[in-house]
Structure formats: structure tokens, C-alpha cells
């Protein structure tokens, strides 16, 4: 069954969420159902990890997440790049100027979502907004599900639910 959310998600991403209609009650119900189904599909998948050593964005975000030492300004810069372009590239220089035209791995976005939660200068609405965009981007491409770190992605889905509930209170 194709719901309203699934039907509109690609156009939302393509238009970078400009003029999006979020206030429709049916749309919000479809959003919740879509996220539940996405979570179920992710839990069923086996995680097949591929590391591309040329993907410096992925490696930097992964290392920042694993070591729990991160440069706040660098993560904010990645946040801004993703917020504006709805994607990140594989390679950037020290000043975050693009060096390649190829997009980074989808796994990078999961790490970015977790790292953004630790930023202090970004408020709860901005955090929720970026997590919504990341999860939309990840949920669209069903062929890539097997390359997602399931446990981190499920944690990100739970964080999304908590932030939504916190805002609604």
C-alpha cells in the first residue's frame, strides 16, 4: 500500500523541503506508519558493512563518533552542508571545499545524525529537522538498507520519536 508520505517523500527531498505541507492530519498519520514499517524492515536486514577508504567524509564522521572526540565547528559545518544541499560529498579539503562530485556513503548520514545531537549551538527544532531529513533520505533507497548500521539507525529513529514527543509537550 502506497501511503501519502511515501508518495511525497521524493519530491520533498528533491525540492529541499521547500513549501512542504506538514499540517495535513492524514500526512502525519502516514508519516508515523511509514516510520514504523521502516523500523521493522531495518530490524529484519542483515548488516553488510562496506568501507571505502577514499570516502574521507565517512571516515571522519565515523572516527569522530567512535572516539567521542569531535570538533564542534567541523560537525556544524557538515550540518550546514547537509542542510543546504541535502547531501554530502566523499571528499572535502580542510576548509570543507568540495574535492569530488560523488556522494558519501549513506552510513555517513547516520553518524552525522548522532553527532549533531551533541552540538550545543543547535536547538531542539534544528536537531529534529536534520534527523527527519536524514531518515527520509535513508528510508527512500530500499536497495541500500543492507549497508546501514541497524543498531545506530534504530537508535536514531528512537531519538526522532523522543524529540517529536518533547516538542509536542
Amino acid at each position: 500500500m502506497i501511503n501519502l508520505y511515501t508518495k511525497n517523500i521524493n519530491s520533498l527531498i528533491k525540492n529541499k523541503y521547500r513549501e512542504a505541507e506538514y499540517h495535513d492530519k492524514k500526512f502525519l498519520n502516514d508519516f508515523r506508519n511509514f516510520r514504523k514499517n521502516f523500523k521493522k524492515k531495518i530490524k529484519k536486514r542483515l548488516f553488510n558493512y562496506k568501507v571505502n577508504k577514499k570516502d574521507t567524509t565517512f571516515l571522519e564522521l565515523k572516527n569522530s563518533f567512535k572516539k567521542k572526540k569531535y570538533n564542534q565547528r567541523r560537525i556544524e559545518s557538515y550540518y550546514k552542508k547537509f542542510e543546504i544541499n541535502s547531501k554530502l560529498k566523499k571528499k572535502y579539503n580542510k576548509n570543507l571545499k568540495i574535492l569530488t562530485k560523488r556522494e558519501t556513503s549513506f552510513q555517513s548520514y547516520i553518524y552525522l545524525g548522532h553527532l549533531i545531537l551533541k552540538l550545543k549551538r543547535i536547538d531542539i527544532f534544528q536537531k529534529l529537522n536534520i534527523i527527519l531529513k536524514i531518515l527520509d533520505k535513508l528510508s527512500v533507497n530500499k536497495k541500500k538498507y543492507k549497508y546501514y548500521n541497524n543498531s545506530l539507525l534504530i537508535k536514531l529513529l528512537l531519538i526522532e520519536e523522543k524529540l517529536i514527543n518533547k516538542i509536542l509537550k
Side-chain angles (χ1 to χ4, degrees):
M1 179 177 129
I2 296 177
N3 62 24
L4 182 64
Y5 192 76
T6 308
K7 188 176 174 183
N8 293 327
I9 195 168
N10 284 322
S11 64
L12 290 172
I13 292 170
K14 187 177 181 180
N15 294 328
K16 297 180 183 174
Y17 295 87
R18 283 184 227 120
E19 301 176 22
E21 291 290 328
Y22 300 120
H23 308 297
D24 183 19
K25 198 170 194 172
K26 185 176 181 185
F27 181 83
L28 294 173
N29 288 333
D30 287 340
F31 165 76
R32 286 189 182 113
N33 292 334
F34 183 78
R35 284 294 197 257
K36 285 179 188 175
N37 290 334
F38 179 55
K39 195 185 298 185
K40 286 178 188 174
K41 288 177 185 176
I42 291 300
K43 285 181 179 179
K44 291 179 184 177
R45 297 280 180 167
L46 294 175
F47 178 45
N48 184 1
Y49 197 60
K50 280 172 59 172
V51 177
N52 185 347
K53 296 189 190 244
K54 293 180 182 178
D55 190 351
T56 57
T57 302
F58 165 73
L59 294 172
E60 183 179 352
L61 291 170
K62 179 184 171 195
N63 290 335
S64 296
F65 177 78
K66 296 272 184 188
K67 292 180 182 176
K68 300 184 181 182
K69 291 182 181 178
Y70 55 93
N71 182 341
Q72 290 246 349
R73 291 190 180 177
R74 186 81 171 172
I75 301 302
E76 283 177 17
S77 298
Y78 280 121
Y79 160 77
K80 289 175 187 173
K81 289 267 185 201
F82 182 77
E83 188 67 29
I84 293 167
N85 303 314
S86 296
K87 59 180 138 183
L88 295 174
K89 301 296 181 184
K90 278 189 175 187
K91 279 190 179 182
Y92 294 99
N93 67 9
K94 291 179 183 177
N95 300 324
L96 281 181
K97 301 285 183 196
I98 298 172
L99 296 176
T100 61
K101 292 183 180 180
R102 301 198 74 187
E103 188 174 0
T104 187
S105 72
F106 284 102
Q107 189 68 27
S108 302
Y109 300 114
I110 297 172
Y111 289 121
L112 179 64
H114 282 281
L115 289 169
I116 284 172
L117 294 170
K118 299 175 183 180
L119 297 178
K120 294 176 178 142
R121 291 196 281 179
I122 296 175
D123 69 12
I124 188 170
F125 295 103
Q126 292 170 310
K127 289 176 183 178
L128 177 61
N129 185 34
I130 197 78
I131 289 173
L132 286 168
K133 289 180 180 181
I134 288 171
L135 291 173
D136 284 348
K137 184 171 187 70
L138 296 174
S139 64
V140 169
N141 200 336
K142 293 180 181 180
K143 293 178 183 176
K144 300 284 184 180
Y145 283 7
K146 63 184 173 184
Y147 300 116
Y148 300 162
N149 185 330
N150 302 353
S151 61
L152 287 178
L153 185 56
I154 289 171
K155 284 180 186 176
L156 201 57
L157 284 162
L158 293 172
I159 290 166
E160 175 195 46
E161 287 177 25
K162 287 179 185 176
L163 290 175
I164 289 172
N165 291 335
K166 198 181 248 188
I167 289 173
L168 292 176
K169 287 185 179 180

